[in-house]
């Protein structure tokens, strides 16, 4: 399920804008938000007054305008793609699932209305623990494709040392079968004891290891692809927000989009 939240600030007044294009822009953003939350989440629309600089006759002056901000708790957008997201025909969706024209319409509407559109995305950090650098590299690339940053450690001991040093981690994703005195299950036990608010998930390609693990631990069986990983971690990692804002830069228009 997707929860819809609405927040309209104080002092909001009527604006002159193409209603059909505004509605289409909001729908286009909402569709992208929906697709980014396959297992549900929260979609938020807020309207508030902003102060922006507008250049008129060679002078830049701060004026009061209105902004529509839309955010979701979906998978987020990698920083290297943010600058391309409003380009015509650019899409990160699978073939047949996106035209790449939705957000370009948003961009066109915002500027036609005398405003602008911006986007940002807050990424979370996943600690990938695996004794095989090659496997960890593949796992890390899948997480990064989903918009996460990753840090790699090759043992449970090294992972705990990193956490003990105070490094900000949002999710620990560890292989179960690893050499050393602590395996993945032991790491999960230590993490839950020392950092009770930190989510941890395990992965393995061995049936015996998966069956021997406590039922309270979430385990993703190898091999897995990006879609399987995304569905698996949807309920584990704390929600990230992506936000779009349409910021109107004309006193009689509206627009602003940002992802965070």
């Amino acid at each position: 399920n997707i929860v819809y939240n609405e927040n309209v600030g104080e002092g909001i007044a009527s604006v002159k804008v193409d209603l059909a294009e505004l509605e289409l822009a909001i729908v286009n953003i909402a569709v992208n938000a929906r697709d980014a939350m396959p297992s549900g989440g929260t979609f938020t629309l807020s309207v508030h007054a902003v102060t922006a600089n507008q250049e008129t006759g060679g002078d830049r002056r701060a004026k009061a305008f209105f902004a529509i901000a839309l955010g979701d708790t979906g998978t987020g957008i990698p920083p290297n793609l943010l600058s391309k997201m409003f380009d015509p025909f650019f899409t990160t969706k699978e073939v047949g699932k996106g035209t790449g024209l939705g957000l370009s319409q948003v961009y066109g509407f915002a500027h036609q209305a005398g405003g602008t559109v911006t986007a940002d995305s807050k990424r979370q950090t996943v600690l990938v623990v695996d004794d095989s650098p090659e496997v960890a590299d593949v796992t890390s690339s899948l997480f990064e494709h989903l918009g996460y940053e990753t840090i790699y450690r090759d043992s449970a001991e090294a992972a705990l040392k990193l956490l003990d040093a105070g490094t900000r981690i949002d999710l620990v994703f560890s292989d179960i079968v690893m050499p050393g005195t602590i395996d993945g299950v032991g790491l999960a036990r230590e993490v839950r004891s020392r950092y009770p608010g930190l989510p941890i998930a395990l992965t393995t390609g061995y049936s015996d290891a998966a069956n021997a693990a406590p039922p309270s631990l979430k385990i993703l069986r190898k091999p897995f692809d990006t879609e399987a990983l995304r569905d698996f971690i949807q309920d584990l990692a704390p929600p990230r927000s992506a936000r779009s804002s349409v910021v109107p830069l004309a006193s009689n228009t509206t627009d602003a989009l940002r992802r965070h």
Side-chain angles (χ1 to χ4, degrees):
N1 294 332
I2 294 178
V3 177
Y4 172 71
N5 289 330
E6 188 176 278
N7 179 23
V8 179
E10 298 287 336
I12 300 301
S14 298
V15 295
K16 184 178 180 181
V17 70
D18 187 318
L19 181 59
E21 288 294 314
L22 172 60
E23 290 177 345
L24 181 58
I26 293 174
V27 168
N28 282 330
I29 295 169
V31 167
N32 276 275
R34 178 203 64 191
D35 292 345
M37 300 183 287
S39 299
T42 302
F43 178 70
T44 303
L45 182 151
S46 60
V47 184
H48 52 275
V50 298
T51 300
N53 291 323
Q54 184 179 33
E55 188 166 336
T56 305
D59 294 332
R60 291 183 65 83
R61 297 183 180 180
K63 293 186 177 181
F65 304 102
F66 297 119
I68 302 173
L70 303 105
D72 65 69
T73 57
T75 52
I77 305 167
N80 62 313
L81 300 182
L82 277 175
S83 62
K84 303 177 182 178
M85 62 180 292
F86 296 112
D87 293 351
F89 305 109
F90 176 79
T91 181
T92 59
K93 298 177 184 178
E94 299 175 13
V95 176
K97 291 191 175 181
T99 64
L101 294 175
L103 294 183
S104 65
Q105 180 275 333
V106 174
Y107 181 90
F109 160 71
H111 286 268
Q112 278 185 347
T116 188
V117 58
T118 61
D120 62 72
S121 181
K122 291 183 178 177
R123 308 179 83 199
Q124 290 184 322
T125 301
V126 177
L127 173 57
V128 176
V129 187
D130 199 302
D131 61 296
S132 169
E134 294 78 13
V135 173
D137 186 58
V138 174
T139 301
S140 296
S141 67
L142 294 179
F143 272 109
E144 289 161 6
H145 183 74
L146 292 174
Y148 291 87
E149 294 181 349
T150 60
I151 297 177
Y152 167 61
R153 289 296 183 268
D154 62 1
S155 68
E157 291 85 353
L160 290 172
K161 185 177 180 180
L162 179 76
L163 293 171
D164 290 342
T167 305
R168 168 67 185 270
I169 298 295
D170 298 289
L171 171 67
V172 177
F173 188 79
S174 175
D175 189 22
I176 291 181
V177 181
M178 295 185 292
T181 57
I182 308 177
D183 62 5
V185 173
L187 174 61
R189 189 179 300 114
E190 289 296 319
V191 167
R192 286 183 166 183
S193 173
R194 301 185 195 183
Y195 314 99
L198 177 59
I200 181 166
L202 303 178
T203 183
T204 185
Y206 298 100
S207 298
D208 290 345
N211 294 334
S216 61
L217 291 176
K218 295 273 288 183
I219 300 174
L220 178 62
R221 297 294 296 272
K222 296 179 181 177
F224 52 84
D225 57 15
T226 304
E227 186 173 350
L229 178 62
R230 180 187 60 199
D231 293 343
F232 176 75
I233 65 173
Q234 192 73 34
D235 298 327
L236 284 172
R240 290 167 305 145
S241 67
R243 185 176 175 186
S244 309
S245 309
V246 190
V247 183
L249 296 183
S251 56
N252 62 343
T253 56
T254 290
D255 46 300
L257 296 158
R258 217 168 54 209
R259 288 179 72 93
H260 105 75

